[in-house]
Amino acid sequence: MTGRAQLPSWYDDLDGTLAACWNFLARGVADRRSGFHHPVLSSIGLDGAPRSRVMILRGVDIAARSLRVHTDLRSEKIAEWRADNRVSVLGYDAGQKLQIRLTGRVRLHADDAIAEAAWQSSRAMSRVCYGTAPAPGSEIPAGDAFALPHSDNAEALEAGRAHFAAVVIDVASLESLYLAFEGHRRARFSWDAGGALTARWLAP
Ligand SMILES: Cc1cc2nc3c(=O)[nH]c(=O)nc-3n(C[C@H](O)[C@H](O)[C@H](O)COP(=O)(O)O)c2cc1C
């Protein structure tokens, strides 16, 4: 078998590359071993400097071209996204040798049906994080000077609901970089405001 036979079917196929990227992202929601399960999301800090953090990918809607993550409304990134909702999302899966870089805008959902469905889909061990006191990012006098509700206390877990937000990312562009001995493949896909797609190969 030659090296080329090992290459993915979408190696030289722009449409196939885009479909593969969306499928890898969608699989990343449930597959904890996927590099796309915990992408890095970047916002623009209130001082104008970039700020990045790892977040768990909770949902992908390929038809709507959107991703979903969950967070605490009290966290700094929320204030940043309220000021400027642009976001960059970056994931790399070493097994697939594939980097995916996305740009888009976030929508914050705290007290609507989207937030409620996301909250209902969250497990107790995730819900518990939204009941932290004091708020995430607060300075504390010692490493253990914070409290979490116990995960078997339903009432306390429900109290975290007020701090919970589903963050939906409407994707405006997707860039892939596939690493191969035979030659890397880099492609950029972008959608205009009307949803029309432009797809281009780029020199890696
Ligand atoms: C593996 C991993 C997964 C994480 N998942 C989330 C997440 O889903 N949501 C979240 O808000 N923070 C998550 N965090 C914590 C963030 O990286 C970050 O430290 C925290 O949200 C505070 O970010 P901020 O100060 O920019 O708001 C995760 C961290 C790690 C290491």
Side-chain angles (χ1 to χ4, degrees):
M1 197 181 275
T2 67
R4 205 168 169 92
Q6 310 278 348
L7 294 169
S9 59
W10 43 267
Y11 181 62
D12 275 323
D13 171 1
L14 264 183
D15 291 343
T17 296
L18 180 58
C21 286
W22 279 116
N23 285 332
F24 284 125
L25 288 168
R27 266 190 246 166
V29 173
D31 180 0
R32 290 169 184 223
R33 287 167 305 170
S34 163
F36 304 117
H37 184 60
H38 39 62
V40 173
L41 274 73
S42 300
S43 53
I44 299 166
L46 297 176
D47 61 356
R51 287 188 86 241
S52 302
R53 78 285 293 159
V54 168
M55 296 181 82
I56 302 289
L57 186 61
R58 302 290 183 180
V60 172
D61 185 334
I62 299 177
R65 246 189 305 120
S66 69
L67 314 179
R68 178 170 44 83
V69 294
H70 297 169
T71 196
D72 191 309
L73 278 171
R74 302 170 295 171
S75 65
E76 274 186 77
K77 60 181 101 48
I78 291 289
E80 292 165 358
W81 280 327
R82 281 193 167 129
D84 186 329
N85 71 347
R86 286 176 296 173
V87 64
S88 163
V89 181
L90 178 70
Y92 174 65
D93 187 272
Q96 300 296 340
K97 298 181 292 177
L98 181 65
Q99 172 179 267
I100 300 177
R101 181 159 63 164
L102 304 127
T103 65
R105 290 185 180 271
V106 304
R107 274 184 282 129
L108 304 176
H109 296 272
D111 52 14
D112 58 11
I114 291 175
E116 191 54 31
W119 176 257
Q120 293 303 334
S121 73
S122 299
R123 292 187 297 178
M125 61 181 268
S126 299
R127 289 185 184 185
V128 83
C129 303
Y130 301 95
T132 327
S138 306
E139 285 190 22
I140 48 179
D144 63 354
F146 66 96
L148 280 176
H150 203 276
S151 62
D152 61 13
N153 181 341
E155 210 170 289
L157 285 184
E158 205 50 38
R161 174 67 184 85
H163 305 138
F164 174 81
V167 179
V168 177
I169 299 153
D170 293 316
V171 173
S173 75
L174 184 159
E175 193 179 303
S176 62
L177 176 64
Y178 175 73
L179 304 178
F181 175 78
E182 294 78 0
H184 306 328
R185 289 293 181 269
R186 180 175 171 190
R188 183 189 294 143
F189 306 90
S190 53
W191 292 266
D192 68 15
L197 169 66
T198 302
R200 297 279 185 269
W201 291 115
L202 304 180

